């Protein structure tokens, strides 16, 4: 049976591991010892990967996690699934990819297929990953290289690895064919594109499309409010058009590891070729500014000052029904509230602990601002949690809000 090593056992890497283990011997490599220990006891830390599934693969010897990079040797296929964040000045940060390349280059002594699933700018597999791995390899090992961008949407029930079409392209026809063979075991719709750069750019454009449309609807929410009409009623009205319109909803901003980050990878690529990515950058600004707009609205509704008022931020995960707080808009909302002298607490029992604080009880505040509404949180309990409730999610029609 082929050995597949997956570097990074987070949202993407563990999801692939869980699907691939049905057909391959999977080694999950992660440099976080806590993650490794937890996975080896069969406990999943990712929504969408059931612990029972993990336990099953461990029991049958199909899955194991390790932080020992030398164990990668002997792999037939290596998948890179490590973070690709931004630096402080919002430039692509490939340090995790560089570390994964070192792991491969130093420890993998046999030729293998290397697939990148981490999101990055066009040219990453050709001009960055391949040379980086080769710079660490001794001898003349000829690996095959391919890209297959991940489209997993954690917490989503209707689309998963099996039924979500997957793009792929190798640096050579052999790499493309072997990549197709690998994924075809657990993915029904494989879409070949003519070069890795097309696949890399398509992934960035998918998320930039969302970023820009969310910014547009966030700006529209401000316009409708100024006009004195409901943004949600107006969007529902527009949605009756059966073609040429796709509904996006306003929010306190965008979060997660993808939408706030990936467009900046595209903007950086545009910079490299001398194209000003003004539209992408402005969308990012509009979304980042939404947290201030929300706090401005709440302040205006509450006598023009938030000083000394107790404010409960309800839902700090970046989206409903997941515990992921990366880049969450709630963070910026809290910063603005604190800067205006509010006494801020947060409630989110799905997240539980955040910034070394436990989720506060839902209730007893002067003001509640709903940034994310999990299905499990009772709408009536939110409405009763404060004398003034501002909803940014559109799910609490009785509240003030966007
Ligand atoms: N989360 C999503 O929904 C999603 C969707 C599509 C694409 N992506 C992309 O996939 C990539 C991974 O994202 P994620 O959400 O899975 O990240 P994550 O933070 O959930 O997981 C990454 C894991 O990699 C480990 N890691 C980091 N450096 C390592 C190294 N050198 N060696 C071994 N392990 C290492 C970390 O400990 C962590 O457990 C990113 O490029 C992201 O943009 C994410």
């Amino acid at each position: 049976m082929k050995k597949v090593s997956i570097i990074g056992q987070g949202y993407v890497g563990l999801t692939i591991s869980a699907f691939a283990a049905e057909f391959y011997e999977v080694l999950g490599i992660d440099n976080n010892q806590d993650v490794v220990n937890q996975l080896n006891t069969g406990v999943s830390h990712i929504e969408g990967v059931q612990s029972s599934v993990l336990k099953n693969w461990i029991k049958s010897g199909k899955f194991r996690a390790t932080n020992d990079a030398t164990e990668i040797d002997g792999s037939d296929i290596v998948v890179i699934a490590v973070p690709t964040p931004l630096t402080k000045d919002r430039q692509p940060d490939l340090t995790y990819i560089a570390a994964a390349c070192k792991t491969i280059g130093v420890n993998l002594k046999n030729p293998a297929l290397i697939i990148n699933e981490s999101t990055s700018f066009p040219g990453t597999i050709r001009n960055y990953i391949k040379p980086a791995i080769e710079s660490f390899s001794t001898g003349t090992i000829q690996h095959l290289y391919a890209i297959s961008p991940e489209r997993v949407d954690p917490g989503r029930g209707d689309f998963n690895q099996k039924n979500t079409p997957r793009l792929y392209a190798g640096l050579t026809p052999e790499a493309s064919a072997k990549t197709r063979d690998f994924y075809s075991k657990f993915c029904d719709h494989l879409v070949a594109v003519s070069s890795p750069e097309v696949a890399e750019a398509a992934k960035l454009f998918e998320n930039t499309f969302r970023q820009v449309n969310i910014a547009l609807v966030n700006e529209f929410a401000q316009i409708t409010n100024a006009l004195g009409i409901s943004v949600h009623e107006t969007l529902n009205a527009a949605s009756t058009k059966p073609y040429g319109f796709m509904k996006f909803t306003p929010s306190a901003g965008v979060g997660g590891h993808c939408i706030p980050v990936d467009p900046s990878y595209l903007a950086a690529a545009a910079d490299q070729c001398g194209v000003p990515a003004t539209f992408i950058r402005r969308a990012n600004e509009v979304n980042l500014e939404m947290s201030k707009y929300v706090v401005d609205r709440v302040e205006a509704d509450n006598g023009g000052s938030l000083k000394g008022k107790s404010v409960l931020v309800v839902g700090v995960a970046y989206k409903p029904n997941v515990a992921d707080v990366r880049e969450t808009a709630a963070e910026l909302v809290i910063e603005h509230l604190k800067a205006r002298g509010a006494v801020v607490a947060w409630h989110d029992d799905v997240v539980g602990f955040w910034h070394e604080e436990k989720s506060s009880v839902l209730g007893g505040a002067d003001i509640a601002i709903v940034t994310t509404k999990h299905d499990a949180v009772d709408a009536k309990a939110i409405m009763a949690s404060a004398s003034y409730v501002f909803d940014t999610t559109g799910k609490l029609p009785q509240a003030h809000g966007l």
Side-chain angles (χ1 to χ4, degrees):
M1 183 177 285
K2 282 191 173 159
K3 174 178 169 182
V4 177
S5 290
I6 301 181
I7 307 179
Q9 288 295 289
Y11 282 90
V12 168
L14 187 60
T15 306
I16 295 293
S17 296
F19 276 85
E22 190 174 349
F23 309 96
Y24 304 95
E25 177 199 332
V26 174
L27 182 68
I29 302 178
D30 203 292
N31 57 8
N32 183 329
Q33 187 64 55
D34 293 340
V35 167
V36 168
N37 293 344
Q38 189 178 328
L39 293 180
N40 281 333
T41 60
V43 177
S44 167
H45 61 120
I46 298 299
E47 298 89 8
V49 176
Q50 302 299 321
S51 294
S52 55
V53 171
L54 210 55
K55 283 194 175 86
N56 187 29
W57 298 144
I58 291 170
K59 206 169 146 202
S60 56
K62 307 286 285 300
F63 175 78
R64 187 167 59 83
T66 183
N67 74 345
D68 178 359
T70 63
E71 290 199 52
I72 200 172
D73 195 25
S75 301
D76 301 286
I77 298 166
V78 175
V79 178
I80 302 173
V82 295
T84 45
L86 296 173
T87 59
K88 280 207 170 72
D89 54 350
R90 300 195 71 79
Q91 292 301 310
D93 176 359
L94 294 196
T95 49
Y96 297 92
I97 296 248
C101 291
K102 188 173 178 187
T103 293
I104 299 167
V106 171
N107 299 295
L108 184 63
K109 305 288 193 308
N110 57 290
L113 170 64
I114 315 289
I115 305 170
N116 180 35
E117 288 214 22
S118 295
T119 307
S120 186
F121 48 79
T124 299
I125 192 84
R126 191 188 303 274
N127 303 323
Y128 190 89
I129 291 178
K130 181 174 183 281
I133 291 174
E134 286 171 351
S135 75
F136 290 111
S137 298
T138 50
T140 52
I141 303 168
Q142 296 284 317
H143 296 305
L144 297 171
Y145 293 90
I147 169 85
S148 185
E150 183 52 61
R151 285 171 163 165
V152 64
D153 187 5
R156 193 173 188 119
D158 51 353
F159 282 101
N160 54 38
Q161 286 295 330
K162 188 143 174 63
N163 64 0
T164 306
R166 177 178 275 280
L167 304 177
Y168 72 97
L171 280 181
T172 61
E174 187 186 1
S176 292
K178 288 196 164 169
T179 302
R180 181 178 189 93
D181 184 52
F182 169 59
Y183 287 109
S184 62
K185 305 279 192 300
F186 53 92
C187 177
D188 293 341
H189 309 283
L190 286 155
V191 183
V193 291
S194 65
S195 71
E197 285 75 12
V198 171
E200 289 164 328
K203 170 70 192 176
L204 291 182
F205 189 69
E206 289 165 20
N207 283 346
T208 302
F209 172 84
R210 285 185 60 76
Q211 159 85 305
V212 167
N213 279 286
I214 293 167
L216 181 62
V217 81
N218 278 337
E219 192 167 81
F220 187 57
Q222 298 176 46
I223 297 168
T224 51
N225 180 62
L227 291 171
I229 55 176
S230 158
V231 68
H232 295 290
E233 188 187 352
T234 314
L235 290 171
N236 287 340
S239 297
T240 60
K241 183 178 178 186
Y243 52 87
F245 182 79
M246 186 180 283
K247 185 178 169 188
F248 286 80
T249 48
S251 58
V254 290
H257 187 25
C258 296
I259 312 293
V261 173
D262 298 353
S264 296
Y265 273 70
L266 188 54
D271 282 347
Q272 290 290 315
C273 23
V275 179
T278 48
F279 208 60
I280 299 172
R281 291 209 162 82
R282 185 62 198 130
N284 196 39
E285 284 165 8
V286 169
N287 287 330
L288 285 170
E289 286 160 6
M290 268 319 271
S291 50
K292 179 179 177 297
Y293 172 77
V294 165
V295 175
D296 283 346
R297 287 269 307 270
V298 172
E299 190 173 54
D301 283 355
N302 284 275
S305 172
L306 294 172
K307 206 166 169 33
K309 298 212 165 86
S310 63
V311 183
L312 185 66
V313 174
V314 180
V316 297
Y318 85 87
K319 69 173 184 177
N321 310 324
V322 300
D324 193 346
V325 289
R326 290 177 296 179
E327 310 275 335
T328 176
E331 181 103 57
L332 293 176
V333 169
I334 290 171
E335 272 176 28
H336 285 296
L337 289 167
K338 285 184 175 167
R340 296 174 199 203
V343 180
V344 187
W346 60 270
H347 168 84
D348 192 324
D349 285 342
V350 175
V351 171
F353 282 89
W354 184 44
H355 292 321
E356 294 174 8
E357 266 179 32
K358 202 166 169 274
S359 167
S360 299
V361 288
L362 183 59
D366 297 325
I367 296 167
I369 301 177
V370 186
T371 39
T372 295
K373 162 76 176 68
H374 298 298
D375 291 348
V377 185
D378 181 38
K380 282 194 190 121
I382 296 176
M383 292 309 295
S385 67
S387 40
Y388 170 95
V389 179
F390 188 95
D391 175 37
T392 69
T393 71
K395 291 183 180 170
L396 299 167
Q398 303 93 333
H400 304 265
L402 297 176

